[in-house]
Each structure stands twice: as structure tokens, then as C-alpha cells.
């Protein structure tokens, strides 16, 4: 692979570049793996035609005979969105480690903000789900300094330039955030949202990748937990709280069912005399008493426990069992859900497959496609005012416009920019291939071999001459050659990037979110689809 070959492919010599990699579990080729679960705890199960129908050699995907194109049971192991995150993660690591430079990366730093304790590293355009149009950037600003007021992201030079981007003028995004063009972005928020870059810009991703397991068998869910402390099934009760409530059903009562109230004029004192109770207005603007609330702290002493309106000790959680506090032993079980579902053998087939017992498979395929056709939809004029409508013969040239007949720079500028993006895509793909395939707990894969890349050409099957090999180092060199090529638009330098910080309200929201529980991890689909047909 060289720059000339890539450029000719980008010009129209190929529809796409693809690579299909056979994967297997790191344990052994038939080890059980756990796919991602979606709403209701379900796996994404379906019947699919194996890749033999996609001109992948039989020995590269195995399992089926060459002439057998029957659909087989398959499961999604890593979605398009998840793969995009993995590619961006690999690209970011290469940039952070200094293995690649010059790629413009917008970022928001949390240093010296209320969220600094929880977010020690900046959030970059490679981390944010909506990329350059993500709410993290929307609600960030260049802080005030030297009598200069703070400037919201959408009002910076960067934000104002990006607001002018379109398929006919992708230059602003190319200059400020080329990875957003490569992985796709959508300015989907309502224009009523404060700080939003105006418009509804949508750029489809040029890289699509997913991992699918073929010829699968579903497994059985097993569970259980030992306990070194030997805790048994003692009843667990709630203690009274120092907090208050206006809901009588959540109030602390005594053994005779009489409630406790906060004493008026004495915030730290409680009383059972209704006439001494503090009151407040409810939604109907009526006075209601302020009760002492039942707390979340627990005890095994029923005598110290908070009582309900029937005078009975209130059990912690649903049943007052130590297991609800993650204490004690959980008996080993087969085919039961975390919610205490019944015996698997008594469940319907529909319910049984929702229990997440993992799968075994004959093989998995990672199919990665870099669409050159998608890149060819993008144009990169140097100056939008130079786009002139094609005049009618004999008439004067009209004012600058963005019509379908707009003309600007020679084709080589557009091709050069598209070639840079294609090379950047190859850098991301090769960077990911050199890393691991750790998708989630109990779903770690490895490549069986390192197949070649292929040019996909319209109108004919892939031939031997369409194949090429490429390492990360070679892709990196190819990218630099594409950037340095005559006519290629230049990326913004690090010194041009706005020094963004979260606005005070965003920093406080992040701080409170971490303080009261933190962020979830291992979310498979952290990125919404660009449109209904995107995935």
C-alpha cells in the first residue's frame, strides 16, 4: 500500500476497504463467552448468513462447507457503537503515548473545577459519545481571564466555524475535528438548548465495524457466593433516621402504631404530640405534619428498629435478608436470574434465553469496513464564498451560493482531504488490531490470524491483487504522506485549540453524580445511532 494506490481508490477506484478477522475466546476456541445484554437482559440473537457469502475464503471462517449458505444462529458480541468506541480508544492511546502526532483533538479539562477530584483526565472528542456535538462540549467554555468574559464553546472561533459545516463544506470539521467526520456525528439536540451549536448537522460514520459469533449454543446461568464471615439468614431491620418525610407510610411509629413528628422550633427533637409537630405546605397548599423518617441504616435488634404504622419492625429492603446488603452466603443455583427467578427448567424458552447464561460458538468474525464512498460525499472548499453557481451561457455570474452546481477548488483538494481521512481510518484500524479484544468481563477474544485488507471494487469479486497488508507503523507513515501531499488542507495545531473547561453547572452536576453513586461502566451502546438505519 502506498499513497498513490490509496488516492486512486479514494478517487473512485474502490467502494471501500474492508478486513474480516476470525476471532476466538482467549481460553480456548470453544470457551464460553458472555455477549452484551440489552433491555430485559436479552442477548441480540438472530439468524445470519456466514461470511462465505461475502467472498471471504472458506479457510478464514471455517464451520460451513463452501456451497452451504444456510443462515445459522448468531449473536452480536460487539455492536457498531461499541466497536467505534474501541477504535477511538486505540487511536487516543496512540496519540497519548506519542506514537502519532498532529491529529487535532478537542478536549475539556476539569482541572481547578468542582469536578477535578472525580475526573482527573480531560474528556476528548474521542471519548464523548456525540463527539464534537456532545453535550460535554456544548456546556463548556473558555473561562474568563484578564478582564475578558467567559466564552461558551459555540461562541468560540471553533464553534462558529463548525456551525458552518455541511456535506458541501466539511472543511471546518476536517480542520478542527477530523475524527468526528471519520466516526460520524450528529448535532441532534434541540436549538432551544442553551449553548448548542445551531442547526441539525449529521455526518454518517465512514468506519463501520462489528463482532458477531456464529453457530452458537446458549449456556446455563449459574450463581452463588460464599461468605468467610459465616453470616446466616438473620432478619435485618431499618433504624430510625434523622431525616424527615411528609408521607405517613414512610414515617417512624412506635410499637402501638403512633407516629413521631419533628418538634416545632426544635429541629433536633422529636415528639408524638400532634399539636407540637412542625408543619409544611403540601402540593395543595394544605398544612401537613413533618414526620421522622424510617432510615436506611440497619440493625438486627428488633427492639431498636423503626416501626411501621402497624407497630411492627420495618425490614430492610424487600425481605430483610442479609443478602439484600450483599452479606452472607448465596446458595449455588442453576438457571436463576439475579432477581430471584425460578428454576430454569420451569421457564418458557422465551424467558430462559433472557437469563444471560453466555454462549459457546464455532467462531466469531470482526467485519470492519472503511467506506470510501461515504468520504466521497464530503467536499472541502477553501473558502465557501468561492463556491459559485454554474452560470447560464451568456449571462453574468450570480452571487455566491451553495447550490448543487457549486464549484470551488480543483478536485485534487477534495481528493487530498478524503485521502487524509482514509489514512486516518487505517491508522485507527491498525492501532486497534495491535491492541487486545477485551470486550467485557468473560468476553475476551483473540485473532486467529492476521488477514489482509481488501479493496472492495464495484462490479466484480475481490481478487488477489485487491489485497494488501498494513501495519500500524506503515499506516502512520501513510497518514503523514497524505497530510504533506500538495493540495491537502491543513489541520489545526494544538495551539489553535480552545482551552475548554466545564461551565459551573456542568461541573457541579458531575460532582454530585459521582458523590451519590458515580458513573456506570461497561455500557455496550454508549453512542446513539445516527439514524434509524445507521446500524
Amino acid at each position: 500500500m502506498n499513497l498513490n494506490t490509496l488516492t486512486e481508490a479514494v478517487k473512485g477506484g474502490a467502494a471501500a476497504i474492508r478486513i474480516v478477522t476470525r476471532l476466538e475466546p482467549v481460553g480456548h476456541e470453544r470457551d464460553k463467552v458472555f455477549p452484551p445484554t440489552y433491555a430485559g437482559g436479552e442477548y441480540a440473537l438472530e439468524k445470519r448468513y456466514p461470511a462465505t457469502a461475502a467472498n471471504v475464503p472458506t479457510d478464514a471462517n471455517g464451520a460451513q462447507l463452501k456451497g452451504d449458505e444456510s443462515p445459522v444462529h448468531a449473536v452480536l458480541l460487539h455492536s457498531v457503537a461499541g466497536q467505534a468506541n474501541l477504535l477511538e480508544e486505540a487511536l487516543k492511546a496512540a496519540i497519548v503515548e506519542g506514537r502519532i502526532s498532529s491529529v487535532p483533538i478537542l478536549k475539556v479539562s476539569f482541572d481547578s473545577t468542582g469536578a477535578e477530584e472525580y475526573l482527573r483526565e480531560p474528556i476528548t472528542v474521542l471519548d464523548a459519545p456525540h463527539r464534537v456535538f456532545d453535550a460535554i462540549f456544548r456546556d463548556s467554555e473558555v473561562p474568563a481571564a484578564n478582564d475578558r468574559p467567559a466564552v461558551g464553546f459555540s461562541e468560540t472561533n471553533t464553534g462558529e466555524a463548525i456551525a458552518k459545516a455541511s456535506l458541501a463544506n466539511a472543511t471546518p470539521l476536517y480542520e478542527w475535528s477530523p475524527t468526528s467526520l471519520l466516526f460520524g456525528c450528529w448535532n441532534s439536540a434541540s436549538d432551544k438548548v442553551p449553548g448548542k451549536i445551531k442547526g441539525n448537522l449529521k455526518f454518517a460514520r465512514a468506519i463501520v465495524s462489528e463482532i458477531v459469533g456464529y453457530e452458537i449454543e446458549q449456556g446455563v446461568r449459574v450463581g452463588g457466593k460464599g461468605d468467610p464471615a459465616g453470616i446466616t439468614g438473620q432478619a435485618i431491620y431499618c433504624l430510625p433516621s434523622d431525616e424527615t418525610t411528609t408521607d405517613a407510610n414512610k414515617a417512624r411509629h412506635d410499637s402501638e402504631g403512633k407516629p413521631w413528628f419533628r418538634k416545632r422550633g426544635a429541629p433536633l427533637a422529636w415528639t408524638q404530640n400532634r399539636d407540637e409537630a412542625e408543619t409544611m405546605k403540601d402540593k395543595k397548599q394544605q398544612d401537613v405534619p413533618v414526620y421522622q423518617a424510617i432510615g436506611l441504616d440497619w440493625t438486627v435488634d428488633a427492639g431498636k428498629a423503626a416501626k411501621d404504622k402497624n407497630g411492627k419492625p420495618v425490614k430492610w429492603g424487600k425481605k430483610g435478608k442479609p443478602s439484600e446488603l450483599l452479606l452472607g452466603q448465596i446458595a449455588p443455583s442453576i438457571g436463576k436470574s439475579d432477581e430471584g427467578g425460578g428454576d430454569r427448567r420451569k421457564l418458557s424458552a422465551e424467558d430462559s434465553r433472557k437469563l444471560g447464561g453466555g454462549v459457546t460458538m464455532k467462531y466469531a468474525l470482526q467485519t470492519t469496513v472503511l467506506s470510501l464512498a461515504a468520504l466521497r460525499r464530503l467536499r472541502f472548499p477553501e473558502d465557501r464564498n468561492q463556491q459559485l453557481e454554474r452560470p447560464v451561457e451568456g449571462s453574468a455570474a450570480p452571487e455566491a451560493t451553495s447550490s448543487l452546481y457549486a464549484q470551488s477548488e480543483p478536485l485534487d483538494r477534495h481528493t487530498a482531504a478524503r485521502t487524509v481521512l482514509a489514512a486516518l481510518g487505517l491508522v485507527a484500524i491498525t492501532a486497534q488490531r495491535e491492541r487486545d479484544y477485551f470486550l467485557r468481563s468473560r468476553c475476551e477474544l483473540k485473532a486467529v490470524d492476521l488477514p489482509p485488507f481488501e479493496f472492495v471494487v464495484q462490479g466484480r469479486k475481490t481478487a488477489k491483487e485487491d489485497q494488501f497488508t498494513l501495519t500500524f507503523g506503515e499506516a502512520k507513515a501513510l497518514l503523514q504522506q497524505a497530510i504533506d501531499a500538495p493540495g491537502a488542507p491543513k489541520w489545526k495545531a494544538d495551539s489553535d485549540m480552545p482551552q475548554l473547561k466545564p461551565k459551573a453547572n456542568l461541573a457541579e452536576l458531575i460532582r454530585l453524580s459521582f458523590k451519590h453513586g458515580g458513573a456506570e461502566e461497561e455500557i455496550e451502546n454508549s453512542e446513539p445511532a445516527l439514524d434509524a438505519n445507521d446500524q
Side-chain angles (χ1 to χ4, degrees), residues 366-378:
Q366 179 194 36
T367 304
T368 305
V369 176
L370 173 59
S371 174
L372 305 182
L375 296 180
R376 285 195 285 270
R377 297 174 68 226
L378 305 175

Side-chain angles (χ1 to χ4, degrees), residues 64-82:
Q64 288 202 319
L65 297 175
K66 186 175 182 180
D68 185 359
E69 295 182 1
S70 301
V72 299
H73 291 288
V75 64
L76 185 65
L77 294 177
H78 214 210
S79 69
V80 171

